[in-house]
Amino acid sequence: MSTEPPETPEDGEPTSADAAPAEGTRVSEAEAELAAQRLERERIEQRKAERQGPIAAGTKLSGTAADLLAAVRAVESGEKPAATVFEEARPAPRRPAPEPVRPAPAVTSDPVVPAAGAVEEMRGVLAQGGVPEGLAVRAAEELGEGGAGLLRSDPWQLLRIPGVRPGQADGFARALLGAGAGPDDGRRGRAVAGWLLEQAALAGHTVLEMAALADALGRQGVPEPEGAVQDAISEGDVLVFQDAVGEAGEDEEQPVRVLVGLERYAMAEESLADGLARLVNSVPKQDGGSEEWERAAASAEGSAGELVRAVAGHGLVLHTGGDAASAEPAALLDAAHGLGLRAWAATHAPAGRARFAALVEGPGVATVAGLLSGAEGPGRDADGALDLDLLVVIDAPQLDVESAALVTESLPDGARLVLAGDPGVLGSVGPGRVFGDLLAARVCPQIASRRPDPGPLGELVSGIGVGELPQVAAPGKEVVIVPVRDAGEAVHRTVQLVADSVPRAIGVPAEETQVITPGHGGAVGTRALNAALKERLNPGPGRFGGFDPGDRIAYSPAPGRTLPGRVVTADGEGLHLECGGEEIVVPRERVESSVRHGWALTAHQAVGCRWPAVVVVLPGDAAQALSRPWVYTAFGRAGRHLSVVHGVEQALPRAVAEVTAKPRTTRLPVLLAPQVPAGAGG
């Protein structure tokens, strides 16, 4: 099982940073993201305090799994330091779901900045270990007060800083500890185990099978990987679970699998399961009356009417479909407003917010981060719950377990939740497979839209979704294939398409044309393409961290979040950006780690957005990176025109036909099963 993220950052390059506040009275998307993260940390601490301890599984294990659980028992008996460790199997009774914790979030106008003294102390220890001092602010933020002392006592804790890899932490440890920093140091094994689980989370896993983690530790040079896993459990760095798999025979014990994970994601997934079960098992608030709901459903068209009927009687409903299907959740929102409900929709990105808002007659569209933080949306009631009756989440496949847990925890009793999205797109850049797990679990009504995406582009993307790459008629040059022989030609033709051919032949200007390519590195990755496109479209000295006013950028306020935008200006305060209609100021010290040029993006960065024209670049070395979800997502970002710079020959149809989404190891279905009655999905 892979533990690498679907898109790996450069070695040693952090992938996110906190954002400075937007100018004006409106709180920025970046601040909203930060506030939501702070709120999640507070809730995790609250849930940790409420935990009731281990749950016995009542099953027998042998071999490595038995050794692993023996380490847990040693912790529980006091033979080793206490740690928060629990086991769980399906036959075991599940404790009652705790009451949702809904503290109203506080959104500040100032970014969270560590104390100057802590940063200086951190700068000193990093310099001593040969680490660039530019990481001092980020390290102080991540490790908190006393972080410098922590690094001196355990240099491998450097791996907690996003972007740092084991080889770099090893060098840092040797510089601080000398000959004592060896691969068999227990501190190294525990830290690498945590790092691997964080990397797995970036690839979508909330947990890993114990054998997969041990194997990955061995590949990182840990001499006794099973012992390192046990040590990490004993010290409380990771948690261990038993999940029942299959059914036991008359004389057989319940088969189980042993999983390990980080507490942060385990608690979030458990909280999510509790919140979803509360919605499924509850009776929605009876407002409007059945006759009024039926009239609203009858006035809607086709599957939109089915969606309205499902929402009338259920607390949780799933809706699937392509881009055109967004009209159906919009019709639901309008119908709910007509019934007097407090109804809101939330999208993944600001660009998606603007696009969906154009489909809705009245107000009521926010981003997920803005809704949760209070920067957008209806605000919260006296109990800390969102002040609404219906929430429709668009782009639901992009919800990771932490965001989804926050959403469900924030809903008041009697509220309805609709998760809507296209199951064919790439999943969240973060832990979990929330939308896919719920579709597979069938715990609530699922409404599949019958509204197809129109035109040649819609026909092409629909075919890809079922594993075919059809030849489509494109009389208006909606789809154009541009064959190339090598990387140099691919870059040249891409620049030519964006700067000349698409504006001249299609009428879409360069600033409304987006390039999408499989990765950041290589001769035709985002870095190479952005350099070539900047030279052609907005040449300049790049006096502020390589950027000039007018540059298109991709800003990452947090891991897994990408906001396309442009540079407005730069001054002593920082780099001023415009992203989705919001003004954001990124401080000078954060520009390098959180802002990239954005004429070219990866498909993961482009999810949740659409452009009038898209140029998808598939160089010869991209064949191994292609999959059906990648192609479906990249091609589906185009609204009017798609150009494919094609250098992979038969690898493209083969990927569409054969390479499906990578599996993700999650616990949500197992956690939901004992809480939701069989057949609840209708």
Side-chain angles (χ1 to χ4, degrees):
M1 179 178 298
S2 171
T3 57
E4 292 296 320
E7 292 179 356
T8 318
E10 294 181 60
D11 289 355
E13 177 184 339
T15 57
S16 67
D18 293 340
E23 294 180 348
T25 58
R26 182 164 138 174
V27 181
S28 72
E29 173 76 11
E31 279 186 321
E33 180 69 25
L34 288 171
Q37 289 182 347
R38 288 197 293 273
L39 177 58
E40 173 64 10
R41 286 194 292 269
E42 292 171 2
R43 291 181 177 185
I44 287 174
E45 292 302 318
Q46 178 80 22
R47 292 196 298 267
K48 285 167 64 177
E50 293 175 349
R51 295 191 60 83
Q52 298 180 7
I55 299 176
T59 57
K60 294 182 180 179
L61 299 172
S62 60
T64 305
D67 295 337
L68 189 62
L69 293 177
V72 178
R73 297 190 184 99
V75 174
E76 296 171 349
S77 65
E79 296 174 19
K80 292 187 178 181
T84 306
V85 182
F86 62 91
E87 313 158 32
E88 198 164 344
R90 187 175 297 184
R94 210 179 141 73
R95 63 184 180 279
E99 288 297 317
V101 180
R102 300 173 181 141
V107 180
T108 64
S109 58
D110 298 318
V112 178
V113 178
V119 173
E120 283 304 311
E121 189 177 3
M122 183 64 71
R123 188 171 284 117
V125 71
L126 293 180
Q128 182 183 351
V131 174
E133 296 181 21
L135 284 179
V137 173
R138 179 176 296 277
E141 291 171 347
E142 185 66 34
L143 301 178
E145 188 174 353
L150 176 63
L151 288 179
R152 288 192 177 95
S153 63
D154 185 356
W156 285 282
Q157 291 299 309
L158 191 72
L159 284 170
R160 288 169 54 183
I161 302 171
V164 175
R165 302 180 72 83
Q168 296 162 319
D170 290 340
F172 180 68
R174 287 192 295 270
L176 265 63
L177 303 179
D184 58 347
D185 192 306
R187 292 170 294 183
R188 181 182 189 272
R190 293 194 302 272
V192 173
W195 178 81
L196 285 168
L197 289 170
E198 286 286 3
Q199 298 305 300
L202 288 174
H205 308 286
T206 58
V207 288
L208 288 179
E209 292 192 20
M210 185 274 292
L213 179 59
D215 182 64
L217 282 166
R219 293 198 302 271
Q220 292 295 333
V222 176
E224 296 184 6
E226 290 85 0
V229 176
Q230 295 178 24
D231 193 21
I233 294 169
S234 299
E235 295 296 326
D237 296 333
V238 303
L239 304 180
V240 62
F241 310 87
Q242 284 187 81
D243 282 348
V245 289
E247 299 294 335
E250 292 183 1
D251 300 323
E252 297 179 0
E253 295 178 344
Q254 179 81 50
V256 299
R257 63 175 181 171
V258 179
L259 304 168
V260 289
L262 297 174
E263 182 180 45
R264 170 182 175 181
Y265 306 125
M267 301 278 300
E269 196 161 29
E270 180 178 298
S271 174
L272 172 60
D274 292 339
L276 291 170
R278 177 171 65 96
L279 290 168
V280 172
N281 295 328
S282 66
V283 176
K285 181 181 177 183
Q286 297 304 305
D287 36 23
S290 58
E291 293 181 358
E292 292 183 63
W293 277 99
E294 180 55 35
R295 281 196 295 271
S299 64
E301 298 180 1
S303 44
E306 297 174 23
L307 178 61
V308 173
R309 289 187 181 93
V311 170
H314 296 85
L316 178 65
V317 175
L318 307 182
H319 178 265
T320 60
D323 185 69
S326 296
E328 295 174 4
L332 168 66
L333 207 64
D334 288 338
H337 288 152
L339 291 170
L341 273 67
R342 300 165 299 168
W344 278 78
T347 66
H348 175 62
R353 175 185 59 198
R355 195 169 67 253
F356 187 75
L359 302 175
V360 180
E361 293 180 0
V365 185
T367 62
V368 171
L371 184 78
L372 294 173
S373 70
E376 305 173 55
R380 297 187 179 242
D381 62 22
D383 296 325
L386 290 169
D387 194 13
L388 48 71
D389 304 309
L390 168 66
L391 176 62
V392 181
V393 177
I394 309 300
D395 308 317
Q398 303 312 305
L399 283 176
D400 60 29
V401 291
E402 292 184 296
S403 297
L406 275 170
V407 167
T408 57
E409 286 179 353
S410 298
L411 292 175
D413 292 336
R416 299 169 171 89
L417 174 64
V418 176
L419 299 179
D422 188 340
V425 301
L426 289 165
S428 63
V429 182
R433 183 177 171 264
V434 177
F435 196 58
D437 281 347
L438 283 172
L439 286 171
R442 306 196 70 82
V443 296
C444 65
Q446 302 179 15
I447 306 301
S449 173
R450 297 190 297 274
R451 188 185 301 255
D453 288 340
L457 280 169
E459 181 183 352
L460 175 62
V461 174
S462 295
I464 293 170
V466 296
E468 301 174 358
L469 192 65
Q471 296 277 345
V472 297
K477 297 183 179 179
E478 292 89 351
V479 182
V480 174
I481 308 299
V482 182
V484 294
R485 292 163 295 184
D486 54 40
E489 186 180 6
V491 173
H492 171 74
R493 294 304 300 272
T494 299
V495 174
Q496 183 182 53
L497 283 164
V498 174
D500 178 52
S501 300
V502 172
R504 176 171 43 81
I506 310 300
V508 178
E511 57 268 23
E512 296 180 9
T513 301
Q514 182 62 54
V515 175
I516 299 176
T517 193
H520 295 300
V524 198
T526 61
R527 286 188 289 275
L529 287 169
N530 277 318
L533 288 161
K534 175 173 172 56
E535 182 179 356
R536 175 67 181 273
L537 298 172
N538 196 45
R543 290 176 181 169
F544 196 98
F547 298 96
D548 296 294
D551 279 356
R552 285 176 64 174
I553 55 87
Y555 171 54
S556 292
R561 301 279 295 156
T562 298
L563 306 180
R566 64 183 182 87
V567 176
V568 178
T569 187
D571 54 26
E573 187 181 1
L575 193 66
H576 294 247
L577 310 177
E578 186 276 320
C579 298
E582 296 181 355
E583 294 184 10
I584 297 170
V585 182
V586 183
R588 181 184 298 270
E589 64 272 13
R590 304 176 191 274
V591 170
E592 183 179 359
S593 62
S594 62
V595 185
R596 296 177 183 264
H597 283 107
W599 286 280
L601 302 173
T602 64
H604 284 89
Q605 292 177 314
V607 169
C609 300
R610 279 171 70 89
W611 292 269
V614 166
V615 177
V616 175
V617 186
L618 304 176
D621 61 359
Q624 296 301 314
L626 298 182
S627 66
R628 185 187 303 166
W630 194 96
V631 178
Y632 185 92
T633 302
F635 285 19
R637 299 313 93 202
R640 289 173 48 195
H641 171 79
L642 170 68
S643 283
V644 182
V645 178
H646 194 339
V648 291
E649 299 180 346
Q650 292 306 306
L652 177 59
R654 187 162 52 248
V656 169
E658 302 173 6
V659 185
T660 55
K662 292 181 180 179
R664 297 185 174 197
T665 308
T666 66
R667 302 185 65 236
L668 184 59
V670 170
L671 294 169
L672 276 173
Q675 301 190 74
V676 178

